[in-house]
Amino acid sequence: MAKRSSLFIRIVEGKNLPAKDITGSSDPYCIVKVDNEPIIRTATVWKTLCPFWGEEYQVHLLPTFHSVAFYVMDEDALSRDDIIGKVCLTRDTLATHPKGFSGWAHLTEVDPDEEVQGEIHLRLEVVRGTRACRLRCSVLEARDLAPKDRNGASDPFVRVRYNGRTQETSIVKKSRYPRWNETFEFELEEGAAEALCVEAWDWDLVSRNDFLGKVVFNVQRLQAAQQEEGWFQLQPDQSKSQREEGNLGSLQLEVRLRDEMVLPSGCYQPLVQLLCREVKLGTQSPGQLILLIEETTSTECRQDVATTLLKLFLGQGLAKDFLDLLFQLELGRTSEANTLFRSNSLASKSMESFLKAVQNVGNMDTPASRAKEAWMEPLQPTVRQGVAQLKDFITKLVDIQEKEELDLQRALSLQAPPVKEGPLFIHRTKGKGPLMSSSFKKLHFSLTTEALSFAKTPSSKKSTLIKLAHIRAAEKVEEKSFGSSHVMQVIYTDDAGRSQTAYLQCKCVNELNQWLSALRKVSINNTGLLGSYHPGVFRGDKWSCCHQRDKTDLGCDKTRSRVTLQEWNDPLDHDLEAQLIYRHLLGVEATLREKHRQLSAGPEAGPVLPGPGGAPEDPLAQLLQVLQDLREAHRSSPAGSPPLEPSRVLELQT
């Protein structure tokens, strides 16, 4: 069983934003951060205080993330962009409302003491002596601390406070991944209610120290446990009085968290087989389960159910049969021809989802079309013929004579289809010299299901940089490492089995996250994926991130191979689609049972005979039995049964 978390985000618009420019206006855009990690940047809307974005995203995340924050910024060409305000939603808040948030939210002022991030590794022990007990706190290390200095790093130290006494670690200069390995002890009084507070600070020579976050422990609980060790999320300083919301404007959002506990594939086979049998039988099926699903599906969630069913049957090769059945049901119950497929029916919603892929044909890019929608493969002979004729016509029309270039383009079209391609700047570290942003070289990169390749231009012959099977991690690089932002690293092994790293720079944060997402998806099943990595570079004789001198040292930060952006061309996830259908049917189970009771009590109802293996032959009864079996499978799993969806959306009020 695996837990999968994803966030649906829609940034709609803003209103009544304050003017940040001398012209009396602003140039607003939004940055979305998950645990203070930028993942999305919207477009800039110029010269307005009421911007409209209407941008939608879906992000796959680790289930352990803590919060998502929306920062509204004002873009400036000559100076640093201004922060207008933010909206922050915690994971716990989103988890209690699976239908999500929808509406307007006030922007709040950004307090530096609340802008904390990262984790700290601590070991806490209660040491019992002959006369008294002592509380021992070992401060081991920290990771992903907030950069508070202009060089993109911090100078962190830790302050440990208990019962009126304070002790501090040494200062680690220029690091967001410090290691201390220092231990402090305090006298522990019996029945003491004082809490142990561990605070991280950024040391500054001239100005006041910057707060990096804190962790507070209940000493009585520690006395009961005797020992506790682990990584603890740094929390903001909430001791300050809450600031009143000023006239910073509002942001309209739609945010929905989806947590799914996905069972092994075998658990879903009875449900998938039952639905597939119904589709194959069509209107001859005695149970008409597809019709019952439509009747019990509310208008609010019909689009989601239609898309999920379509994906499920696409994976089974029954998309055409599914749509044919829906059309027959639509035609059979419609008396007015003018209303056909105009209602909010399951047929119209399913066809809407199905037709979104047809746009690939218009791209005249056969390999890309095949890669993005594998189920369109049967259409490729017809598409190839039409595309070839149209390309020949265009070639003759513009009178292109460069035969070698045309031959090269035809040869390129026969290669593995691209997953993502575009310009990037590359730098690979060699020797001990300094790494500067000027050493990056611009090339055209192409990622396929076989390799990451590069060429001087899009039409030039490509050279393989990294074989796909050799990728071990794709992660971000600290800004201070190269003095440039939007740099990623691809860690891989060469043909001799030696570890190598390629550093690639993107033009913006969206490009960076899209490339990282694509690299992680195509390598997710590789053997030997790393669990940790160094977000810095090995410069001279040490890592720039944690200052460790062993180049082969284990990484100081955890990898994020499961953090990806949802793309419309992602491969189908059969188990997830089956789980989503199960969860929907579980929500309408009471209605289905009542329907089954009515049908069983009808004048034409006969006895339900058991089929092979003792299962009832009545399709609706079989469906109810399958739901019960899946419920038991979830209950017997460590995570328990999935939550039912609530009946309404929690609205954000202005």
Side-chain angles (χ1 to χ4, degrees), residues 222-236:
L222 285 175
Q223 285 180 304
Q226 293 294 306
Q227 183 175 351
E228 187 171 356
E229 180 179 351
W231 286 93
F232 301 93
Q233 183 78 15
L234 290 169
Q235 302 295 328

Side-chain angles (χ1 to χ4, degrees), residues 565-628:
L565 297 174
Q566 175 71 40
E567 301 286 349
W568 62 272
N569 58 343
D570 283 349
L572 299 175
D573 189 336
H574 308 293
D575 295 339
L576 178 59
E577 307 307 332
Q579 166 64 22
L580 293 176
I581 289 298
Y582 158 67
R583 188 159 67 97
H584 169 72
L585 293 175
L586 195 64
V588 297
E589 183 183 19
T591 306
L592 293 174
R593 288 194 178 278
E594 176 62 22
K595 187 70 173 178
H596 181 257
R597 188 190 65 80
Q598 295 174 2
L599 293 175
S600 301
E604 299 179 359
V608 178
L609 300 177
E617 288 188 344
D618 177 13
L620 183 52
Q622 288 183 354
L623 178 62
L624 294 172
Q625 182 63 49
V626 167
L627 295 182
Q628 182 177 340

Side-chain angles (χ1 to χ4, degrees), residues 347-360:
S348 59
K349 294 299 182 182
S350 299
M351 197 61 188
E352 179 182 338
S353 299
F354 185 81
L355 289 176
K356 287 182 179 178
V358 179
Q359 61 185 344
N360 292 323

Side-chain angles (χ1 to χ4, degrees), residues 198-389:
V198 181
E199 300 174 343
W201 292 84
D202 167 50
W203 176 83
D204 286 322
L205 177 62
V206 179
S207 60
R208 71 176 182 88
N209 297 335
D210 298 310
F211 181 71
L212 293 175
K214 69 177 181 180
V215 185
V216 179
F217 296 93
N218 184 304
V219 174
Q220 293 181 346
R221 186 172 60 84
L222 285 175
Q223 285 180 304
Q226 293 294 306
Q227 183 175 351
E228 187 171 356
E229 180 179 351
W231 286 93
F232 301 93
Q233 183 78 15
L234 290 169
Q235 302 295 328
D237 185 6
Q238 298 177 340
S239 61
K240 298 181 178 181
S241 59
Q242 293 291 327
R243 302 186 179 190
E244 294 186 2
E245 297 174 346
N247 55 347
L248 298 178
S250 302
L251 188 63
Q252 187 181 6
L253 299 168
E254 293 178 20
V255 187
R256 184 171 67 252
L257 171 66
R258 188 179 72 186
D259 282 329
E260 292 294 342
M261 297 302 303
V262 181
L263 298 169
S265 299
C267 297
Y268 298 108
Q269 284 306 306
L271 175 62
V272 174
Q273 291 172 359
L274 179 60
L275 294 176
C276 289
R277 188 185 67 187
E278 288 293 303
V279 168
K280 291 177 181 178
L281 290 175
T283 56
Q284 304 302 317
S285 170
Q288 291 292 300
L289 290 185
I290 302 300
L291 180 60
L292 287 175
I293 291 175
E294 179 173 17
E295 291 177 351
T296 56
T297 300
S298 65
T299 304
E300 180 185 8
C301 60
R302 191 162 293 163
Q303 181 66 73
D304 291 338
V305 173
T307 302
T308 304
L309 281 172
L310 180 63
K311 289 182 178 180
L312 180 71
F313 291 121
L314 277 172
Q316 303 299 320
L318 294 173
K320 177 182 177 298
D321 304 77
F322 172 59
L323 292 174
D324 283 346
L325 174 58
L326 291 179
F327 295 160
Q328 292 179 45
L329 295 175
E330 179 90 0
L331 291 169
R333 65 168 177 252
T334 305
S335 57
E336 287 289 336
N338 293 333
T339 62
L340 274 175
F341 305 114
R342 291 188 179 184
S343 62
N344 191 21
S345 65
L346 193 65
S348 59
K349 294 299 182 182
S350 299
M351 197 61 188
E352 179 182 338
S353 299
F354 185 81
L355 289 176
K356 287 182 179 178
V358 179
Q359 61 185 344
N360 292 323
V361 179
N363 294 333
M364 297 194 305
D365 189 349
T366 303
S369 174
R370 185 167 59 250
K372 293 177 179 178
E373 300 290 352
W375 49 270
M376 288 188 65
E377 181 68 26
L379 295 177
Q380 291 308 315
T382 304
V383 174
R384 274 195 295 268
Q385 181 180 1
V387 169
Q389 293 175 352

